Amino acid sequence: MFNDEQLERYSRQLMVDEMDLAGQEALAAARVLLIGCGGLANPAALYLAGAGVGQLVLADDDRVELSNLHRQVAFRGGQIDQPKAEALRDQLQTLNPEVDVRACVVRVDDAWLDEEVGAATLVLDCTDNFATRQAINRACVRHRRPLVSGAAVRLDGQLAVFDLRQPGAACYACVYGDGVDGDLACNQAGIVGPVVGVIGTLQAQAALQLLIGQSLPQRLQLFDGRRLDWRQVTFRRDPACPVCAAH
Ligand SMILES: [Zn+2]
């Protein structure tokens, strides 16, 4: 049950029919794993902490740099050179001390993912390289955890939800294949802050929807920041998928 201060803190979202007290309790009981603590995870984690998700686990082995601040909106100038996972944790605890936040300054590998994905309710992929994305997807398929995947480069963003709790759900590799080619990291290609912000914000909204028991369509959402335009591409499970077909 929630005390008066908690009811006040969450009062505006509790007014929304779909959220209600049962939804708030589901958020409080959830553990969300955010992998990558950059431009996607910054807004996503702020909203999830603000909304009262009970436990957040943040993983990143990078440090905050001056060139991150235009898009990684949770960080402050005084946090340059701090590990991103710890800097983000500190900001989230200031925002909402009710949330249990754990910072992991690690380069994630299969063993780490197996343990942490298995212990999580839901996973946000906020990384920027295909090898890690594929490893996260494999762990989510293995443990049947919903995966909310975001990506952004230059003026383009992508969002996809893989609710692997559902029988017949597609996985990341069903849509993108299981290759690791084609990395286009922000430090080479560039990125505009609000573009990555809009995708990270929607990752948080997708997570909230899934945590309160709503379902979301299997659609790749493509955002064009030049025209402020969205395109949707429906996807399906690939029966020959090298990752999920055997499960
Ligand atoms: Zn698959």
Side-chain angles (χ1 to χ4, degrees):
M1 280 315 292
F2 298 102
N3 62 34
D4 286 349
E5 189 188 321
Q6 290 168 321
L7 290 173
E8 173 69 16
R9 178 184 285 273
Y10 305 121
S11 58
R12 297 307 187 270
Q13 70 188 29
L14 285 167
M15 288 174 184
V16 177
D17 285 345
E18 289 82 353
M19 293 296 298
D20 70 21
L21 272 176
Q24 193 67 50
E25 278 168 7
L27 298 186
R31 182 198 285 201
V32 174
L33 172 60
L34 293 98
I35 304 165
C37 292
L40 296 166
N42 268 238
L46 286 171
Y47 279 117
L48 294 176
V53 170
Q55 295 181 69
L56 296 174
V57 180
L58 313 172
D60 200 309
D61 70 337
D62 266 351
R63 290 173 181 270
V64 179
E65 296 176 20
L66 183 59
S67 63
N68 300 149
L69 296 183
H70 78 113
R71 67 188 187 281
Q72 301 184 12
V73 290
F75 300 141
R76 296 293 169 260
Q79 293 184 302
I80 287 171
D81 287 337
Q82 287 181 22
K84 287 185 181 180
E86 294 178 4
L88 186 54
R89 174 200 61 201
D90 292 350
Q91 297 296 346
L92 301 181
Q93 286 179 333
T94 305
L95 173 66
N96 189 351
E98 306 262 329
V99 178
D100 172 8
V101 187
R102 181 156 55 90
C104 304
V105 184
V106 291
R107 178 165 288 264
V108 306
D109 59 18
D110 286 330
W112 190 92
L113 286 169
D114 199 48
E115 184 168 337
E116 291 295 340
V117 169
T121 316
L122 180 145
V123 179
L124 261 62
D125 181 348
C126 303
T127 62
D128 62 359
N129 76 84
F130 279 106
T132 309
R133 288 184 185 281
Q134 298 290 2
I136 294 167
N137 179 57
R138 288 194 299 272
C140 287
V141 167
R142 201 154 52 235
H143 292 283
R144 292 183 164 273
R145 294 294 184 271
L147 169 60
V148 180
S149 175
V153 69
R154 299 194 186 106
L155 284 158
D156 294 298
Q158 296 189 13
L159 175 81
V161 174
F162 307 99
D163 189 357
L164 297 160
R165 301 171 299 186
Q166 310 297 335
C171 82
Y172 181 86
C174 291
V175 179
Y176 292 93
D178 67 340
V180 296
D181 296 334
D183 272 352
L184 207 56
C186 300
N187 53 4
Q188 289 126 33
I191 178 71
V192 174
V195 174
V196 71
V198 84
I199 300 296
T201 299
L202 286 178
Q203 283 184 276
Q205 178 60 20
L208 294 180
Q209 291 284 108
L210 293 172
L211 291 174
I212 65 171
Q214 307 279 321
S215 63
L216 290 167
Q218 296 201 114
R219 275 195 317 216
L220 181 60
Q221 312 260 7
L222 302 164
F223 178 64
D224 176 352
R226 296 161 201 83
R227 296 158 46 85
L228 308 187
D229 209 7
W230 288 92
R231 236 167 18 100
Q232 276 92 28
V233 180
T234 302
F235 57 76
R236 281 200 176 93
R237 186 176 194 182
D238 174 5
C241 173
V243 176
C244 71
H247 282 260

